[in-house]
Amino acid sequence: MTTTLFRASTRQRTALLSIVVVALLGLVLAIPGGRGNAASLQQNGMVCQSNAGNTFSLDAVAGYISTPDGNSIYAWGYTGSGQQFQLPGPVLCVASGARVTVVLHNRLPEPVSLTFPGQSDVTADGLPAEPQLDPGGNLVSLTPAAPATSGTVTYAFTAGTPGTYLYESGTDVTKQRQMGLYGALVVRPAADAGKANDRADSAFDTGREFLLVLSEIDPALHSAVERRRAFDYRTVKARYFLINGRSMPDTLAPNFASWLPSQPYGALVHLEPFQPGDRPALIRYLNAGSVNYPFHPHGNNETVITRDGAPMVDTAGQDASFEKFLIDVGPGQSVDTLNRWQQEYQDIPGKQIPADIALPQLQDQIVGPGTETWFSENPYLGGKPGALPPGIVQNNECGEYYHVAHSHALDQATNYGASFGGMMTLIRIDPRGGCPTP
């Protein structure tokens, strides 16, 4: 669990730095634009929608998202009523045991519904939210749907055990979830919102809470829906893979970036070294796609503490959490992890690098276009940059580290087949106290 120096093979270093140079420039330090509300001031981390009455109003609407290769893709999504289209839907945050109401207004050309897996006593317009059948007995929706164009349904449920859950359309699921009708529901412990679940050892730093909603897009399907043409769903082939509705390098842009108006949530994980007495960061993984996503954060194991709202305990109720270097998330599933970046060596005068540690050669740190490096030439967080040859541009801000985090199914780490994109982001580790303000 302890990682302190920039240890990687030449190939790994080159790949990582290629990503960093291309992606971080102008993104990680960018100023968020946006929607003019208090949430837009939060550059990184999960953005919650909550209110004292636990009542939410959502519109099902159409819009467009952008991809890093310049494509514009028609999509559907849930958004706060009266607000612009977004993907994914708003993150709804409630307390365990609370009675929650969600009013759905359908603006799309076909019936749309909402389902809330993992929640109990779900109703639609006051009646049990039961599956809907056509006159021939065929299933048409998992719950009552809002009619096309202007229909409305009011759903209510009792929030389940603390954890991360998916909400999505229960109507024509294969089509509508692929089109973007999904979002995250976060259920917090009623007694302490600073814990991931009801166990005392799940306490986390509430300033470092991150949500990664994983999904995919087949642009051919989206184009067919936009043009109202038939589509053979047996031919679905994802070409873009998303985290929070964005593909790398857009995943690194801050929350509410002005140049991504329909994709408000960033995916950069921003940490500092963990020390005794600190609470760890919490990272929530949620799969809104149709296949498994083997998500791999480099440089550090994470401790799995909750799956689908169930804390990791054994049959005796004792802690059964475990460390993982690859977080495998199945369709519709969630995994909550704690991240403790522990710093073994500090930039202390006289402290020596262990003899068996070799710093990467400069040619392995510099990639095109141009002669740029994001490595500080110092193995210590916050360390003073080493000497660079003339003409080399140093982009490292204050001796921070960067580690890539991506799907280990490498076809999912692409933008329409182009490598170093798709389901990928970075973990940034600042020196203790963060980077100093200029």
Side-chain angles (χ1 to χ4, degrees):
M1 193 170 212
T2 300
T3 303
T4 58
L5 304 180
F6 200 90
R7 306 185 187 187
S9 68
T10 298
R11 182 178 64 179
Q12 289 172 322
R13 289 195 303 267
T14 303
L16 170 59
L17 288 165
S18 298
I19 298 164
V20 172
V21 169
V22 173
L24 278 174
L25 189 59
L27 290 179
V28 172
L29 304 178
I31 303 299
R35 305 191 169 193
N37 57 29
S40 68
L41 300 178
Q42 183 183 341
Q43 291 199 39
N44 305 121
M46 187 177 79
V47 178
C48 257
Q49 304 293 319
S50 61
N51 58 72
N54 295 308
T55 298
F56 305 91
S57 183
L58 299 178
D59 292 350
V61 297
Y64 291 86
I65 64 168
S66 62
T67 60
D69 54 3
N71 203 353
S72 179
I73 299 176
Y74 177 76
W76 293 350
Y78 298 115
T79 188
S81 289
Q83 298 184 18
Q84 67 186 43
F85 166 80
Q86 70 172 70
L87 184 74
V91 182
L92 309 182
C93 295
V94 299
S96 178
R99 192 64 182 169
V100 181
T101 300
V102 181
V103 183
L104 173 64
H105 305 276
N106 185 14
R107 313 301 183 202
L108 293 172
E110 61 185 59
V112 169
S113 63
L114 277 168
T115 60
F116 302 94
Q119 316 315 306
S120 60
D121 302 322
V122 183
T123 63
D125 289 337
L127 300 175
E130 298 176 340
Q132 304 297 294
L133 308 177
D134 67 14
N138 300 305
L139 179 68
V140 294
S141 184
L142 297 175
T143 60
T149 308
S150 59
T152 298
V153 175
T154 298
Y155 300 92
F157 61 87
T158 300
T161 56
T164 310
Y165 299 91
L166 187 69
Y167 68 83
E168 60 180 329
S169 179
T171 307
D172 199 355
V173 177
T174 301
K175 172 184 179 180
Q176 293 192 3
R177 183 168 62 182
Q178 163 67 213
M179 286 301 296
L181 289 172
Y182 58 82
L185 171 69
V186 172
V187 179
R188 302 193 186 280
D192 187 351
K195 296 177 183 176
N197 56 47
D198 286 325
R199 292 181 54 85
D201 53 12
S202 72
F204 66 95
D205 180 351
T206 56
R208 298 192 185 277
E209 181 179 14
F210 304 93
L211 171 66
L212 304 182
V213 179
L214 312 176
S215 63
E216 81 271 353
I217 280 181
D218 178 354
L221 186 160
H222 286 242
S223 178
V225 172
E226 180 179 18
R227 300 177 183 183
R228 301 194 179 190
R229 294 179 177 175
F231 185 83
D232 184 352
Y233 287 88
R234 296 172 297 178
T235 67
V236 168
K237 183 174 180 58
R239 300 291 188 177
Y240 295 99
F241 299 88
L242 315 178
I243 308 177
N244 296 343
R246 302 178 182 180
S247 293
M248 178 76 169
D250 291 342
T251 52
L252 307 181
N255 292 330
F256 305 103
S258 59
W259 59 94
L260 296 166
S262 299
Q263 298 144 278
Y265 305 138
L268 177 73
V269 175
H270 199 164
L271 306 175
E272 288 186 13
F274 178 86
Q275 293 186 358
D278 289 350
R279 290 186 170 192
L282 174 64
I283 305 176
R284 302 174 182 271
Y285 298 90
L286 179 63
N287 186 337
S290 61
V291 296
N292 279 16
Y293 297 128
F295 199 82
H296 175 41
H298 284 210
N300 198 9
N301 289 348
E302 294 177 5
T303 303
V304 176
I305 59 169
T306 311
R307 285 184 180 273
D308 300 327
M312 295 292 97
V313 295
D314 60 21
T315 55
Q318 300 301 306
D319 177 36
S321 62
F322 54 95
E323 291 189 6
K324 285 280 286 180
F325 70 92
L326 188 146
I327 314 300
D328 195 23
V329 195
Q333 294 183 337
S334 68
V335 178
D336 299 341
T337 71
L338 296 180
N339 187 306
R340 299 175 178 87
W341 182 276
Q342 294 176 292
Q343 179 72 357
E344 183 176 326
Y345 297 101
Q346 302 291 337
D347 190 25
I348 301 172
K351 192 78 171 180
Q352 299 298 314
I353 305 171
D356 63 337
I357 300 300
L359 296 182
Q361 299 180 43
L362 188 62
Q363 62 264 34
D364 293 332
Q365 306 166 29
I366 299 173
V367 296
T371 51
E372 300 176 339
T373 177
W374 286 87
F375 185 51
S376 68
E377 306 303 311
N378 191 303
Y380 304 114
L381 275 176
K384 302 296 182 183
L388 288 171
I392 302 299
V393 176
Q394 172 56 262
N395 291 314
N396 190 269
E397 187 183 12
C398 64
E400 71 273 23
Y401 292 169
Y402 294 96
H403 283 278
V404 69
H406 64 98
S407 172
H408 239 213
L410 296 184
D411 64 311
Q412 297 172 358
T414 64
N415 295 321
Y416 216 104
S419 297
F420 304 128
M423 194 173 288
M424 181 180 295
T425 186
L426 292 179
I427 300 172
R428 171 175 171 162
I429 306 97
D430 282 357
R432 185 79 175 177
C435 289
T437 303

